[in-house]
């Protein structure tokens, strides 16, 4: 397997001012052609650190890529470090300079002197055209190894990766078909899930990773052998199929949204601890006004009584966080909005307000279709926002799974 | 200057499936105390690569941090690699096990066997409590050097960094005075802002960066000379003070939340295009139940009429997205909830539903205190979610700025 390493250059990344999306983009593109990234290093944009990173990684890589540090500003020392590392002089390239002049003329801007160094290239290096900026990319072949340097500006880098790097790799290396599927689950903790999947073995060619999301777990299966890949997916689904809600980019809210859109039914929502989040999730989807009539956030007991007709005796006897209250919230919101479906949630999002009998994280979720009602009790963990989010997602999932055909 | 290196462990990062936000968070926190990150490396989560990264970086670092690979699943080999690298055996720690048992018991779940290894710790290592999960963090001191291992789950890692790492660094290393202030503005575009600030010059020691947020712009001033730093801040505030809503971690929702908490007044919300987002933003804050009585999401005209007493004639004559409708929504929601303050919003979040007279992004926002009403018209740009968010933020800002003392 060939080894591809990436050096992302930039103080901004190390200072946490810029998130390293270049690594994510390049990593993903390489994975898709079966040449996954072996290692990535981020260093400051000064000559010494760049040189050291080149020394460390060139020896152990078949392909080395750098991003960043190819602009005209004062701290852009990457090109000099590269030239020094490969023992090349920089030479001024007329055709690159003409390209830069053209770009500035188009924008009607006088060319700053500092830009001149952008037309300098280490001897023997190929340049890669920059369609969106002035700094060209660099490519150098040596002893069957390949070195690439791209600008750090994402749009410029991406264009060079898709327009130059990937075609080059495909025609010079044995790229493989790479298969990847994400199986998305809800209802089991990561540890429970891996317990159930402990006899599903990774092979030389196919791997599996579990990725906990908030209250959900994704299982990612990826590799290069299609048979083994399909077999692994089948095994996983046999063991945990009932907890699978979707695949790849599927998400619960959108799945429920699509089902509701395809029907002629309406929905109303009564929220207590989720405080508007459920409705917010639905209304993030264009077209939700076709089924969502609206809802009531009844944060106070008064609101529960006056707006949702929850009985005072119910609140006094069972409390606001109870199956009984959620049941009356469901009935109340359906009456008010005259809807086919309803969701109601009441719980303790914390961090205060818990008691030994009703701890933080206790949430009752109810859904209602026409005259059927299901109410489930949950004990969620996490911060206030996490408990709100888990409650909202599970309420939407409960509706989608049980009712919406 | 002490050298701090970070190893982020995870195939997912190299495959571009996960963006390395842990690097950004840690980098930023270290920069703020004047101990910027020296280098960061990302490796796959297999024992050989983790070991190699430890070998490469431990020698040249004063402080080495790892994130990732501390969960219970089988590809979590980090802890074994760490133990091997430092020549320590793993020992089972009863107190950690008890903590894990407690967590599982609270959730009423049987503990999977696989979780047992989470209570194993390399001999001589301190453990760091995990408030949100089962895998403890690790800390090892050797020869004046310090090694830390944190879980990869951002919420768990962040809590350990702020609760343990930063206090440790502050009391054991000479943290430098590094001045940093973020001036947060709302109401001007980035280009308008930089036009007004064009005579504010950066110096050798103090820099400035503008960071556009959604409908807002942050101006970050940072550097090492306190006089120049204060001078730059004064200059900025003279020019754009009226658009400043806060500093550093301030956010509009929390500022409004705190003001409301300090009063004995109540709030109710009527939402149309924001679809629950305003109430969701308030209820993300613990204690919001003290002032937020609740609200109504009136996504349909029927809901506006029946639940908020908006008159049919108003809807027919002026439309749902109009100053008149918002005014009646304000009155209606205040009556229903009997609140002191109210917010009402109606607009077109798009991407469909716009007309030449009422284009996507047209939003009317109203706030009401006792018997005073202000209604403002906005034309927001962006996606559906961005228009919702800009509407919500501006409605909360309107309440906070004009009314809540």
């Amino acid at each position: 397997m060939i080894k591809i390493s990436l050096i992302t250059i930039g103080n901004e990344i190390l200072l946490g001012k810029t998130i390293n999306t270049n690594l994510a983009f390049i990593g993903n593109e390489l994975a898709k052609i079966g040449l996954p990234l072996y290692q990535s290093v981020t260093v400051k944009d000064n000559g010494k650190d760049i040189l050291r990173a080149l020394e460390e990684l060139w020896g152990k890589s078949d392909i080395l890529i750098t991003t960043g540090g190819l602009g005209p500003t004062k701290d852009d020392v990457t090109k000099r470090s590269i030239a020094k590392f490969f023992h090349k002089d920089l030479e001024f390239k007329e055709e690159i300079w003409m390209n830069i002049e053209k770009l500035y003329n188009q924008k009607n801007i006088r060319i700053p002197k500092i830009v001149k160094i952008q037309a300098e290239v280490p001897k023997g290096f190929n340049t890669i055209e920059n369609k969106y900026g002035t700094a060209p990319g660099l490519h150098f072949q040596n002893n069957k190894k390949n070195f690439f340097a791209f600008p750090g500006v994402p749009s410029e880098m991406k264009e060079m990766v898709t327009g130059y790097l990937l075609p080059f790799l495909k025609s010079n290396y044995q790229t493989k078909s790479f298969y990847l599927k994400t199986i998305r689950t809800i209802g089991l903790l990561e540890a429970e899930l891996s317990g159930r999947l402990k006899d599903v073995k990774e092979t030389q060619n196919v791997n599996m990773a579990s990725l906990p999301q908030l209250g959900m777990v994704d299982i990612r299966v990826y590799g290069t052998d299609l048979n083994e890949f399909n077999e692994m997916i089948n095994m996983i689904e046999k063991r945990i199929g009932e907890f699978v809600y979707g695949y790849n980019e599927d998400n619960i809210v959108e799945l429920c949204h699509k089902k509701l859109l395809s029907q002629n039914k309406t929905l109303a929502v009564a929220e207590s601890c989720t405080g508007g989040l459920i409705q917010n999730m639905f209304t993030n989807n264009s077209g939700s006004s076709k089924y969502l009539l609206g809802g009531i956030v009844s944060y106070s007991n008064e609101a529960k009584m006056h707006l949702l007709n929850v009985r005072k005796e119910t609140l006094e006897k069972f409390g606001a966080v109870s199956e009984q209250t959620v049941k009356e919230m469901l009935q109340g919101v359906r009456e008010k909005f005259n809807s086919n479906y309803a969701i109601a949630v009441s719980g303790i999002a914390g961090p205060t307000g818990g008691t030994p009998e009703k701890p933080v994280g206790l949430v009752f979720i109810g859904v209602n279709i026409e005259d059927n009602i299901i109410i489930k009790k949950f004990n969620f963990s996490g911060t206030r926002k996490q408990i709100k989010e888990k409650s909202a997602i599970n309420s939407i999932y409960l509706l989608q799974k049980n009712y919406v055909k």
Side-chain angles (χ1 to χ4, degrees), chain A:
Chain A
M1 188 98 183
I2 67 157
K3 284 190 177 165
I4 309 183
S5 301
L6 173 68
I7 303 174
T8 54
I9 297 164
N11 292 340
E12 293 301 302
I13 301 170
L14 290 169
L15 292 173
K17 302 302 171 205
T18 301
I19 292 174
N20 199 349
T21 54
N22 286 356
L23 162 58
F25 177 79
I26 291 172
N28 190 28
E29 291 300 316
L30 292 175
K32 286 198 289 194
I33 58 167
L35 295 175
L37 206 51
Y38 171 64
Q39 175 168 335
S40 169
V41 171
T42 304
V43 295
K44 294 193 214 179
D45 38 22
N46 73 55
K48 216 176 65 186
D49 290 322
I50 295 170
L51 210 55
R52 194 175 42 72
L54 291 170
E55 279 160 8
E56 273 174 18
L57 288 173
W58 179 243
K60 62 178 83 146
S61 309
D62 301 293
I63 295 167
L64 180 58
I65 302 166
T66 70
T67 65
L70 290 185
T73 57
K74 64 186 153 64
D75 51 355
D76 289 350
V77 290
T78 308
K79 201 154 57 184
R80 292 185 196 288
S81 304
I82 292 169
K84 195 171 169 188
F85 176 70
F86 287 106
H87 305 293
K88 305 287 179 191
D89 291 327
L90 289 171
E91 64 181 351
F92 184 80
K93 291 233 185 179
E94 198 59 44
E95 68 270 27
I96 293 172
W97 180 241
M98 280 164 60
N99 205 34
I100 294 172
E101 280 188 319
K102 211 175 72 189
L103 255 164
Y104 273 87
N105 287 338
Q106 277 171 3
K107 297 189 188 167
N108 230 339
I109 298 169
R110 249 181 66 199
I111 308 183
K113 258 190 197 154
I114 199 173
V115 171
K116 202 105 184 178
I117 61 162
Q118 297 211 260
E120 292 177 4
V121 172
K123 270 188 185 160
F125 275 48
N126 297 326
T127 57
I128 306 168
E129 194 197 347
N130 188 334
K131 292 199 179 149
Y132 304 122
T134 51
L138 301 174
H139 175 199
F140 181 59
Q141 275 191 295
N142 187 334
N143 247 336
K144 290 189 181 168
K145 289 187 177 206
N146 281 283
F147 172 83
F148 298 89
F150 301 121
V153 179
S155 58
E156 301 176 16
M157 175 278 293
K158 284 179 186 179
E159 208 283 321
M160 292 185 194
V161 167
T162 50
Y164 186 96
L165 177 68
L166 297 178
F168 178 86
L169 295 178
K170 281 177 191 165
S171 60
N172 287 276
Y173 292 89
Q174 211 183 350
T175 51
K176 277 191 224 172
S177 294
F178 185 77
Y179 306 98
L180 185 146
K181 190 169 191 173
T182 305
I183 301 170
R184 316 200 80 170
T185 75
I186 184 166
L188 285 181
L189 296 177
E190 190 187 11
E192 298 172 304
L193 210 59
S194 48
R196 293 189 183 219
L197 296 178
K198 65 173 179 291
D199 68 327
V200 180
K201 299 288 179 224
E202 292 186 320
T203 69
Q204 188 103 36
N205 303 307
V206 181
N207 295 84
M208 180 172 83
S210 71
L211 305 159
Q213 310 292 329
L214 198 62
M216 298 174 278
V217 182
D218 286 350
I219 302 163
R220 189 167 285 145
V221 181
Y222 55 97
T224 51
D225 184 298
L226 185 58
N227 285 333
E228 293 176 12
F229 175 79
N230 285 330
E231 204 175 311
M232 190 181 282
I233 288 171
N234 284 338
M235 282 185 77
I236 292 171
E237 301 218 320
K238 262 189 206 142
R239 277 152 190 79
I240 55 151
E242 62 190 301
F243 301 98
V244 174
Y245 70 82
Y247 300 93
N248 300 325
E249 308 302 318
D250 284 347
N251 82 59
I252 285 171
V253 183
E254 278 176 29
L255 289 172
C256 190
H257 169 76
K258 281 179 193 158
K259 279 194 180 176
L260 285 163
L261 266 191
S262 71
Q263 306 186 355
N264 247 339
K265 304 285 186 179
T266 55
L267 171 68
V269 184
E271 306 192 48
S272 185
C273 69
T274 46
L277 179 57
I278 297 171
Q279 297 172 79
N280 184 43
M281 284 178 170
F282 278 116
T283 58
N284 280 343
N285 296 283
S286 177
S288 48
S289 58
K290 290 208 175 66
Y291 57 84
L292 183 70
L293 302 179
I296 288 169
V297 178
S298 56
Y299 227 50
S300 58
N301 276 352
E302 286 67 32
K304 287 185 185 72
M305 291 186 288
H306 298 146
L307 288 157
L308 291 169
N309 300 332
V310 176
R311 289 176 308 150
K312 199 175 179 199
E313 303 81 64
T314 306
L315 289 168
E316 282 173 356
K317 191 166 172 197
F318 302 103
V321 180
S322 66
E323 193 178 326
Q324 291 79 2
T325 295
V326 165
K327 193 174 170 192
E328 296 187 14
M329 286 169 72
L330 275 178
Q331 290 163 337
V333 80
R334 261 191 80 209
E335 275 166 30
K336 287 276 172 175
F337 284 87
N338 194 22
S339 64
N340 301 109
Y341 301 160
I343 294 175
V345 177
S346 186
I348 300 159
T352 59
T355 63
E357 296 78 38
K358 296 193 176 178
V360 169
L362 175 69
V363 179
F364 290 90
I365 293 176
V367 294
N368 185 315
I369 184 176
E370 315 293 354
D371 294 320
N372 296 315
I373 284 181
I374 289 186
I375 295 175
K376 281 183 79 173
K377 179 182 165 181
F378 293 86
N379 282 290
F380 296 121
S381 60
T383 63
R384 179 180 180 85
K385 277 176 88 166
Q386 288 170 340
I387 289 170
K388 281 180 68 183
E389 188 143 345
K390 289 178 183 178
S391 305
I393 286 289
N394 275 284
S395 73
I396 295 171
Y397 183 60
L398 199 63
L399 178 71
Q400 188 227 357
K401 191 182 178 192
N402 289 289
Y403 288 127
V404 187
K405 298 295 170 227

